[in-house]
Amino acid sequence: MGIRKRLRRNRTQKKGMPPGSLVYIGEEKTEKVSVTAVEFDDQDLNEYEDISLEKLSEVFHSDKVTWINVNGVHNVQLVDEISKMVGLHPLTTEDILNTEHRPKIDFFEDHLLGIVKMLDLAPNSTDLDIEQVSFILTENTVITFQEKHGDLFDPVRLQLKESKGRIRKTGADFLFYSLLDVIFDQYLIIMDEMDDRIAELEGMIMENPDNHSLQDINEYKNTILQLKKTVWPVREVVNKLINRKVSYIKEDISFYLQDIHDHIVQANDMVETSRGQLYGLLDVYYSSLSMKMNEIMKVLTIVSTIFIPLTFIAGIYGMNFTNMPELDWQWSYPAVWIVMIIITGLMLVYFKRKNWF
Amino acid sequence: MGIRKRLRRNRTQKKGMPPGSLVYIGEEKTEKVSVTAVEFDDQDLNEYEDISLEKLSEVFHSDKVTWINVNGVHNVQLVDEISKMVGLHPLTTEDILNTEHRPKIDFFEDHLLGIVKMLDLAPNSTDLDIEQVSFILTENTVITFQEKHGDLFDPVRLQLKESKGRIRKTGADFLFYSLLDVIFDQYLIIMDEMDDRIAELEGMIMENPDNHSLQDINEYKNTILQLKKTVWPVREVVNKLINRKVSYIKEDISFYLQDIHDHIVQANDMVETSRGQLYGLLDVYYSSLSMKMNEIMKVLTIVSTIFIPLTFIAGIYGMNFTNMPELDWQWSYPAVWIVMIIITGLMLVYFKRKNWF
Amino acid sequence: MGIRKRLRRNRTQKKGMPPGSLVYIGEEKTEKVSVTAVEFDDQDLNEYEDISLEKLSEVFHSDKVTWINVNGVHNVQLVDEISKMVGLHPLTTEDILNTEHRPKIDFFEDHLLGIVKMLDLAPNSTDLDIEQVSFILTENTVITFQEKHGDLFDPVRLQLKESKGRIRKTGADFLFYSLLDVIFDQYLIIMDEMDDRIAELEGMIMENPDNHSLQDINEYKNTILQLKKTVWPVREVVNKLINRKVSYIKEDISFYLQDIHDHIVQANDMVETSRGQLYGLLDVYYSSLSMKMNEIMKVLTIVSTIFIPLTFIAGIYGMNFTNMPELDWQWSYPAVWIVMIIITGLMLVYFKRKNWF
Amino acid sequence: MGIRKRLRRNRTQKKGMPPGSLVYIGEEKTEKVSVTAVEFDDQDLNEYEDISLEKLSEVFHSDKVTWINVNGVHNVQLVDEISKMVGLHPLTTEDILNTEHRPKIDFFEDHLLGIVKMLDLAPNSTDLDIEQVSFILTENTVITFQEKHGDLFDPVRLQLKESKGRIRKTGADFLFYSLLDVIFDQYLIIMDEMDDRIAELEGMIMENPDNHSLQDINEYKNTILQLKKTVWPVREVVNKLINRKVSYIKEDISFYLQDIHDHIVQANDMVETSRGQLYGLLDVYYSSLSMKMNEIMKVLTIVSTIFIPLTFIAGIYGMNFTNMPELDWQWSYPAVWIVMIIITGLMLVYFKRKNWF
Amino acid sequence: MGIRKRLRRNRTQKKGMPPGSLVYIGEEKTEKVSVTAVEFDDQDLNEYEDISLEKLSEVFHSDKVTWINVNGVHNVQLVDEISKMVGLHPLTTEDILNTEHRPKIDFFEDHLLGIVKMLDLAPNSTDLDIEQVSFILTENTVITFQEKHGDLFDPVRLQLKESKGRIRKTGADFLFYSLLDVIFDQYLIIMDEMDDRIAELEGMIMENPDNHSLQDINEYKNTILQLKKTVWPVREVVNKLINRKVSYIKEDISFYLQDIHDHIVQANDMVETSRGQLYGLLDVYYSSLSMKMNEIMKVLTIVSTIFIPLTFIAGIYGMNFTNMPELDWQWSYPAVWIVMIIITGLMLVYFKRKNWF
């Protein structure tokens, strides 16, 4: 919910501006947007922190494979200048600036724009941290726009530096695949985490259901819904990636993309399974409420059913009629006690038989 | 519901008339229908308020890009004359006059008819204000028929006057896109608003569920249903717009249409999410009712379970048997009190253990 | 339900007869089956009531556009003879005689058979009156078989006589379209009526839910189900009409068919909306039951919780112990009263705080 | 359920045998498997009861149209020999022997194998009697394998003998169609019967819901589920029959197949309707339970609310305080009675207003 | 759930490694991975236990049909070396090592990779034992990778040795089919078992529903969900097998594959049926809870309603008014008793009429 709220301001502001107007849509931020770049071939690797625009342009046009990473997209001007450098359509730039965009992929003659979401799950809450990552892939450059400064791409950076695997020997398309792979692997890890938490919640509800339980279930349902919305369209994105033939993605990468596709399908399956479990939890919750009610009613019924007849008997002999012969008999008082004990005993047997305690 | 009711009169009236008969279907209205026109190229811009039919015809046939806006469609004759000027099929005119029409798009040789809905949400109610807008797009004219006089198109008018963005430099198709864009952006803003309100309603139900809560949930469900019915078919409309090649929509506009498509898909997603949240609310509501019932029963059970046995004991010693030795013992009265206090104490411990208070 | 029951007899009778055997399946009827015919071109119009078979054959083979209307299909022999006159396949005749047939359309070389349902809603009940209408369309004849004598086609008859609209100037295909249009317009009117009734039922259930409410909801659900079964397949029928190119339907009629298609889609939407509202009603109903239960329990709990402790106190001082010093004190009786009033007051405050009354 | 259980033995036995091994899967049976044959053209008809294999082979290879009917498929050897005579693939024979097979149709160069289910509903139970019928259709032979000896095909036998309808004049394909028609007509009759029974059950539940009601609903749900599983795949079977062009089905039969298709679609619709009604019944049932609970609680609440306060008043004047002036007043006893009657009256008015009785 | 947990370690470990890195994902294991091989034509058969890699390579390249079975895939190096021997893509090897992979099939020029699941159901629990089996099929070799040492393939081994059926006379493709057939037959047996258990559970819940019942239902729901996830994608796998033309699967095998397809469709049907039954069970469970509540309330209401008025009467005559003439009458005490007995009798009649006991 929070995600949508922060959008309102900018969206209202944007309404009424000509289409293609560049406005940042997302959480308000003040941190400096930093740009890093890595330039490599299978021999050398140069890394640039906080690179200037001129240097960036130089790196972008070099023959080596280049990875430019922009941390934060709230600096509209910077994003605009990088976009112009690459030659993006204004509407593409607009999509990059809108951090609420649905995952999608658009193919152009000499580049593609991919928009996916990075996920993270806060340790003690159900709040999904959804961060948008936009990819520009050209012949030999990958540009990534991250909504905020993150460290998810560090393993790829490390592989590049240590020249592990195929990554240094192949082109920008394999780098692009590697970055996507890191993001989508994270989806499965998040789903595993959700799974554990739902199992834990189930245990808690079984033991002691309270009003908070339902709130928890609903929060998880919302989280699962968000997961679904994030993961589902990615399937289409990857499908398009596999089936579209473009010059800047080589044939031999398609096998790796198939692999990503398998992961996304599995993530979708896991989302569905978790959703099913949450609906099962609702049943558990309502059943527990009913069970508790039954228990309360049993206590009331047992106590009332035993003592109300006894009280009646006591009431009988509390009447003040002149002519009540029993009152004067020697053994009538203990006899009443015995009768009462027998009645109580019979009732207890009856309740026992009904399995009420 | 209200929307349908106002239709009845006209629909019943229409039944039995030959097809293609022009009858206005919608809310009865008496305001004057006004027609405005804007004529522009990248140099000049002429604006006409309350334009006469002759002048309109002149403007329509000029070489400049023209936008004719009809405020209100309940003047059947006027709509008919404009339709004839453009050369519409009688059934097309009939669709424009039927303000209850489902969103659709029809392509003809030299023009298209698009029907979509403008949405507005009254500030303190769940009533969606759904207003139909019909578009005629020809080679260099856009004609818009609005159900009532509105100001949603004002930003576009302003852009035209201030010649901001591409709008003055390109043809009628871009103007058409810009008008659609304004309408569909509004959808997302309405969905955001719905989202906030549902969250607010959730808070209220959690605190104190009453019969009114359910009514509120049902009203929101109806609103969401209406939203779905409004937004869902638009997806198909935009799809057709993208895929159909017609002479009066230039190739380079297709990118902008893709952008609209993304917005509509997102709006549909948001509708689904809101619907899911409303079903979650129903669960919250029923659970709150059950919780309240449990609480009531606990109070009854605690009080009954404590006092019924005590009353029984008091009843015992209110019996009038001659031979009740305890009655005459010195300490039996305080002893009874002590027994009663012990019983009460044990019960309270029992209830405490059961977490009943 | 009633519709199915009346079928049983004939269906069981039919089982075991060779396929293509002509048996009327439907409500048993004794009224005379009447045949009327209208023969017209844009100049003349001849109307025949209760036309004989020979005259019918003559009219059928004339050059003018002819509309033959058969009121009632329980006269198997008559239907058979008309069928033979037109040259229908025996199985087609069998379909016309089966008034329980699903809406469908079959195209032959020189004619088509269309089966749709006319709907009517009895004023004070939820019983849908579903009447089957079969259409035979040839080059210049329309034959309609109505299950019973109805007046729904009267407006078309009037248009023909008064030569209003296109209907007299065009061929049998336009007449066919006009008749379909009258039937499908009726669907929307029925759906409007259903909508109003459901809203009314909602009001009644909100006020006072009883066992009858549920029965009403279920009856409406059945009616909606029947509506759906009637309206849904018509979509396919109209689709086939639009897409199939046959010699006896001219090109220029296709636009009108598209119009019918729009109406059917809208009718389907309205059915779905009504179904959604009925499910909402079920929630209202169950919630009302729960609310009532809560109210009953509150009354019980308030009365019990106040008086059970007070009775206990009275019981205490009704004990007959010899040594109960309070009994002889001057002010103990009024003191007990004061204690009781204080207890009652505290309880009332407690219940007030809990919002129990 | 029973159907599946009997399968287990054979299935477990079969596991581990090479594919294509012939094992009968189904209810264990000991009755003799009998084979009958009818051989006819439009002139003559020869009928053979309990025909020997040699004679069968002779009849099979004759020029006349032949219908061979095998009652019972638990004689594996017999089925195998007939299969070999016709030249079936071993896996086809395996399918005939598996009486649990899903309805399907397989086309071969010179014959087809069709598997459908015959349905019967036991008079006083919800147990569907599902019997598998396999069809082999060659150029001029129909072979039917029935799971047990039945009489459903008797009408066709009668038509053949009395040479009614087209059946004697046309080929094996029309005979094949006639047999299918008899089976599928039965589906509609069963669905009508189900419909009646569900309506009856609804009446019973409305009147007096007990635990047995739910069991009944569930049994009907299972029956409907089985019906759906039986009827649903038949649609596909008939679709394939219509669309596949094979030498042994003549063109002019396709119209009859379309007729069968209509019946199957209608049967599917009826299954869906019945399922909807059963879910409505569940709502009726739960609502009745709630209503009954409300009624019980009302009785308790009325009695408790009236008598608990009265008992309190009686308790007051049962106290033994020395100083209770009212006790000695002349009219206090009748006054107490009057007060009690007034309280009771007020309460009754209150309950009446609440519509509690 | 357990299945997912064991994965976590390896998955987290894998994240950050270059794609195509070979890591075993699955339960940690220490047993030795054993490799067996069978080499045969229709004349000879050689069996090798615990074959060395050199010998394996020799067998693999022989002209005979070879079946290599790897028991356990946690020995990454061994799997890698076999993969290299066959010439697999590194990502294919990665899929074999990931025992959590979704069922799939990938076709290559000279081999295919199939991944399916073997199922087993522990005797007294709802835990499905899901074991992954990967198949490599080349021109004349089948390689199977089993997650653990199992005996499901023993019947095939036996058929090979005893040269039963077609298996020795045909190629690797038929062996491949036979192995798949054994696995999928097992699915149907598991589904039968599930069916029995659900029926048993239903009986238990009908008799005595407790909180454990719901847990059981949920466990079965999870099991069914897992079954669905396992069986559903297999349909697509088999579909691809049937439709894809590859050199290493001969035409004449396609008929057998169709047979497998029928089994999988049936298994899917059975999963759906079981799921429907489980939802029916939930209704039974909730209804039983309600029934029990009603019963408890009836006991309370009967006892309270009888004794509260009687106690009131006793209370009346326990009052100490001086002027209570009844107290001194001769027969008033027995008269009170008679009144009480009559009241009790009337109430019992009332409850009897209401069917409360």
Side-chain angles (χ1 to χ4, degrees), chain C residues 121-183:
Chain C
L121 195 59
N124 289 313
S125 94
T126 56
D127 279 356
L128 264 189
D129 183 27
I130 302 179
E131 190 191 335
Q132 179 159 310
V133 185
S134 307
F135 290 89
I136 308 284
L137 170 67
T138 70
E139 188 61 39
N140 60 358
T141 315
V142 176
I143 309 178
T144 48
F145 296 88
Q146 284 182 263
E147 200 179 327
K148 33 195 156 174
H149 197 287
D151 52 5
L152 196 63
F153 288 155
D154 284 356
V156 178
R157 209 163 277 132
L158 209 70
Q159 285 169 36
L160 280 176
K161 282 192 210 161
E162 303 186 352
S163 78
K164 280 202 300 188
R166 285 186 57 172
I167 200 163
R168 282 281 287 279
K169 295 171 203 93
T170 45
D173 51 357
F174 191 81
L175 173 62
F176 172 59
Y177 154 74
S178 302
L179 294 168
L180 285 182
D181 193 45
V182 167
I183 293 174

Side-chain angles (χ1 to χ4, degrees), chain C residues 68-293:
Chain C
I68 298 167
N69 185 35
V70 183
N71 288 307
V73 293
H74 48 282
N75 185 337
V76 176
Q77 206 188 345
L78 180 72
V79 173
D80 189 25
E81 278 175 56
I82 295 175
S83 295
K84 278 175 186 154
M85 187 180 79
V86 188
L88 301 184
H89 192 284
L91 280 181
T92 302
T93 314
E94 205 188 330
D95 289 343
I96 292 169
L97 289 168
N98 176 358
T99 63
E100 250 305 90
H101 213 288
R102 206 179 133 96
K104 72 158 182 177
I105 194 158
D106 282 338
F107 294 92
F108 302 90
E109 211 179 320
D110 59 351
H111 67 274
L112 66 77
L113 167 74
I115 295 180
V116 297
K117 305 287 179 183
M118 244 177 205
L119 294 182
D120 211 356
L121 195 59
N124 289 313
S125 94
T126 56
D127 279 356
L128 264 189
D129 183 27
I130 302 179
E131 190 191 335
Q132 179 159 310
V133 185
S134 307
F135 290 89
I136 308 284
L137 170 67
T138 70
E139 188 61 39
N140 60 358
T141 315
V142 176
I143 309 178
T144 48
F145 296 88
Q146 284 182 263
E147 200 179 327
K148 33 195 156 174
H149 197 287
D151 52 5
L152 196 63
F153 288 155
D154 284 356
V156 178
R157 209 163 277 132
L158 209 70
Q159 285 169 36
L160 280 176
K161 282 192 210 161
E162 303 186 352
S163 78
K164 280 202 300 188
R166 285 186 57 172
I167 200 163
R168 282 281 287 279
K169 295 171 203 93
T170 45
D173 51 357
F174 191 81
L175 173 62
F176 172 59
Y177 154 74
S178 302
L179 294 168
L180 285 182
D181 193 45
V182 167
I183 293 174
F184 299 153
D185 272 4
Q186 179 76 357
Y187 288 6
L188 292 177
I189 290 165
I190 298 275
M191 285 310 309
D192 276 340
E193 176 68 24
M194 283 297 293
D195 215 45
D196 276 10
R197 292 202 190 172
I198 290 172
E200 207 181 306
L201 181 61
E202 186 166 20
M204 276 166 54
I205 288 175
M206 286 270 182
E207 262 178 54
N208 185 28
D210 51 20
N211 215 337
H212 206 262
S213 318
L214 188 66
Q215 221 174 321
D216 285 355
I217 294 175
N218 273 331
E219 271 175 25
Y220 276 108
K221 260 162 71 180
N222 283 338
T223 308
I224 289 286
L225 212 69
Q226 275 188 299
L227 270 171
K228 201 186 154 116
K229 272 173 57 189
T230 307
V231 177
W232 186 251
V234 170
R235 198 172 178 168
E236 208 186 309
V237 166
V238 177
N239 260 330
K240 282 188 184 171
L241 255 180
I242 293 175
N243 296 318
R244 189 73 168 260
K245 303 287 161 227
V246 282
S247 65
Y248 41 91
I249 299 184
K250 267 139 267 157
E251 267 291 292
D252 61 348
I253 219 77
S254 81
F255 201 83
Y256 290 91
L257 295 174
Q258 187 62 49
D259 190 58
I260 282 185
H261 187 254
D262 288 359
H263 281 129
I264 293 298
V265 169
Q266 193 176 345
N268 271 313
D269 279 7
M270 284 162 105
V271 169
E272 282 310 302
T273 309
S274 296
R275 221 161 63 125
Q277 278 169 341
L278 278 173
Y279 279 100
L281 267 189
L282 259 183
D283 284 323
V284 171
Y285 173 70
Y286 280 118
S287 153
S288 296
L289 281 187
S290 272
M291 285 284 179
K292 248 189 154 169
M293 186 73 170

Side-chain angles (χ1 to χ4, degrees), chain A residues 317 324-335, chain B residues 320-324, chain E residues 333:
Chain A
Y317 295 104
M324 282 177 76
E326 303 98 306
L327 293 181
D328 301 320
W329 297 346
Q330 176 76 15
W331 298 109
S332 52
Y333 177 55
Chain B
N320 297 320
F321 290 110
T322 321
N323 185 15
M324 284 178 74
Chain E
Y333 177 55

Side-chain angles (χ1 to χ4, degrees), chain A residues 7-260:
Chain A
L7 276 176
R8 193 90 19 89
R9 263 160 303 167
N10 303 89
R11 195 173 277 161
T12 318
Q13 171 193 341
K14 195 171 175 190
K15 185 184 139 194
M17 292 179 69
S21 305
L22 299 182
V23 174
Y24 165 69
I25 299 187
E27 237 173 299
E28 247 171 286
K29 282 188 200 127
T30 51
E31 314 125 44
K32 196 171 163 300
V33 171
S34 72
V35 183
T36 64
V38 185
E39 187 192 36
F40 64 89
D41 54 21
D42 54 351
Q43 305 295 330
D44 301 313
L45 178 141
N46 299 321
E47 218 176 345
Y48 307 91
E49 294 280 333
D50 260 326
I51 194 170
S52 70
L53 272 172
E54 299 84 52
K55 184 68 191 158
L56 197 65
S57 171
E58 189 181 299
V59 167
F60 177 72
H61 291 105
S62 81
D63 285 347
K64 294 181 175 175
V65 177
T66 313
W67 172 23
I68 299 167
N69 185 35
V70 183
N71 289 306
V73 293
H74 46 282
N75 185 338
V76 176
Q77 205 187 346
L78 181 71
V79 174
D80 189 26
E81 279 175 56
I82 294 175
S83 294
K84 278 173 186 157
M85 187 178 80
V86 187
L88 301 183
H89 191 284
L91 281 181
T92 303
T93 315
E94 204 188 330
D95 289 344
I96 294 170
L97 288 169
N98 177 358
T99 62
E100 252 302 91
H101 212 291
R102 205 180 133 97
K104 71 159 184 178
I105 193 158
D106 283 339
F107 294 94
F108 302 91
E109 210 180 320
D110 59 352
H111 67 277
L112 67 76
L113 167 73
I115 295 181
V116 296
K117 306 287 179 183
M118 243 177 206
L119 294 180
D120 211 356
L121 195 59
N124 289 313
S125 94
T126 57
D127 280 355
L128 265 189
D129 184 27
I130 302 180
E131 190 190 335
Q132 178 157 312
V133 185
S134 307
F135 289 90
I136 308 285
L137 171 66
T138 71
E139 187 61 38
N140 61 356
T141 315
V142 176
I143 309 179
T144 47
F145 295 88
Q146 285 181 262
E147 199 180 328
K148 34 196 154 174
H149 196 287
D151 52 4
L152 196 64
F153 287 155
D154 284 356
V156 178
R157 210 163 275 133
L158 208 70
Q159 285 169 35
L160 280 175
K161 281 194 210 161
E162 303 186 353
S163 78
K164 281 203 299 189
R166 283 185 57 172
I167 201 162
R168 282 282 287 279
K169 296 174 201 92
T170 44
D173 51 357
F174 190 81
L175 173 62
F176 172 58
Y177 155 75
S178 301
L179 294 168
L180 284 181
D181 193 46
V182 167
I183 292 174
F184 300 152
D185 272 3
Q186 179 75 357
Y187 288 7
L188 292 176
I189 291 166
I190 297 275
M191 286 309 310
D192 276 339
E193 176 68 23
M194 283 298 291
D195 216 47
D196 276 9
R197 291 203 191 170
I198 289 170
E200 206 181 307
L201 181 61
E202 187 166 21
M204 275 166 56
I205 288 174
M206 286 270 180
E207 262 178 55
N208 185 27
D210 51 20
N211 215 337
H212 206 262
S213 318
L214 187 66
Q215 222 174 321
D216 284 354
I217 294 176
N218 274 332
E219 272 174 25
Y220 275 108
K221 260 162 72 180
N222 284 338
T223 308
I224 290 286
L225 213 68
Q226 276 187 299
L227 269 171
K228 201 185 155 117
K229 273 172 57 189
T230 307
V231 177
W232 186 253
V234 170
R235 198 173 176 165
E236 210 186 309
V237 166
V238 177
N239 259 331
K240 282 188 183 171
L241 254 179
I242 292 175
N243 295 319
R244 189 73 168 260
K245 302 288 162 228
V246 282
S247 65
Y248 41 92
I249 299 183
K250 266 140 268 158
E251 268 291 293
D252 62 347
I253 220 79
S254 81
F255 201 84
Y256 291 91
L257 294 174
Q258 187 62 49
D259 190 58
I260 281 185

Side-chain angles (χ1 to χ4, degrees), chain D residues 1 4-5 7-8 11-12 14-20 89-92 94-95 98 100-102 104 106 108 208-212 214-215 218 221-222 225 229 233 279 282 285-286 288-290 292-293 295-297 299-300 303-304 307-308 310-311 313-321 326-334 336-337 340, chain E residues 152 155 159 164-166 174 177-178 181-182 185-186 188-189 191-193 195-196 199 202 206 235 255-256 258-259 262-263 265-266 269-270 272-274 276-277 279-288 290-291 293-294 297-298 300-301 304-305 308-309 311-312 315-326 347 350-351 354-356:
Chain D
M1 217 145 297
R4 288 200 188 170
K5 243 174 226 156
L7 276 175
R8 194 90 19 91
R11 195 173 277 161
T12 318
K14 194 169 176 193
K15 185 184 138 192
M17 291 177 70
H89 191 284
L91 280 181
T92 302
E94 204 188 330
D95 289 343
N98 177 358
E100 252 302 90
H101 213 288
R102 206 180 132 96
K104 73 158 182 178
D106 283 339
F108 301 90
N208 185 27
D210 51 20
N211 215 338
H212 206 262
L214 187 66
Q215 221 174 320
N218 274 331
K221 260 161 71 180
N222 284 338
L225 212 69
K229 272 173 56 188
Y279 279 100
L282 259 183
Y285 173 70
Y286 280 118
S288 297
L289 280 187
S290 272
K292 246 189 155 170
M293 185 74 169
E295 206 190 320
I296 293 171
M297 293 311 300
V299 169
L300 175 59
V303 170
S304 302
F307 286 102
I308 286 178
L310 301 187
T311 303
I313 292 171
I316 285 290
Y317 295 104
M319 292 195 293
N320 299 320
F321 289 111
E326 303 99 307
L327 292 181
D328 300 321
W329 297 345
Q330 176 77 15
W331 298 109
S332 51
Y333 177 56
V336 162
W337 266 116
M340 285 175 171
Chain E
L152 196 64
Q159 285 170 36
K164 280 202 299 187
R166 282 184 58 172
F174 191 82
Y177 153 75
S178 303
D181 193 45
V182 167
D185 272 3
Q186 180 74 359
L188 292 176
I189 291 166
M191 285 311 308
D192 276 339
E193 176 68 24
D195 217 46
D196 277 9
E202 186 167 21
M206 285 272 180
R235 199 173 176 165
F255 201 83
Y256 292 91
Q258 187 62 48
D259 190 58
D262 288 358
H263 282 129
V265 169
Q266 193 177 344
D269 279 7
M270 284 162 104
E272 282 310 303
T273 309
S274 296
Q277 279 170 340
Y279 278 101
L281 266 189
L282 258 184
D283 284 323
V284 171
Y285 173 70
Y286 280 119
S287 154
S288 297
S290 272
M291 285 283 178
M293 186 73 169
N294 276 8
M297 292 312 298
K298 273 182 199 164
L300 176 60
T301 302
S304 301
T305 307
I308 286 178
T311 304
F312 162 68
I316 286 291
Y317 296 104
M319 292 194 293
N320 298 321
F321 290 111
T322 320
N323 185 13
M324 282 178 75
E326 304 98 308
M347 292 231 172
Y350 174 80
F351 295 139
K354 292 246 174 189
N355 269 320
W356 283 11

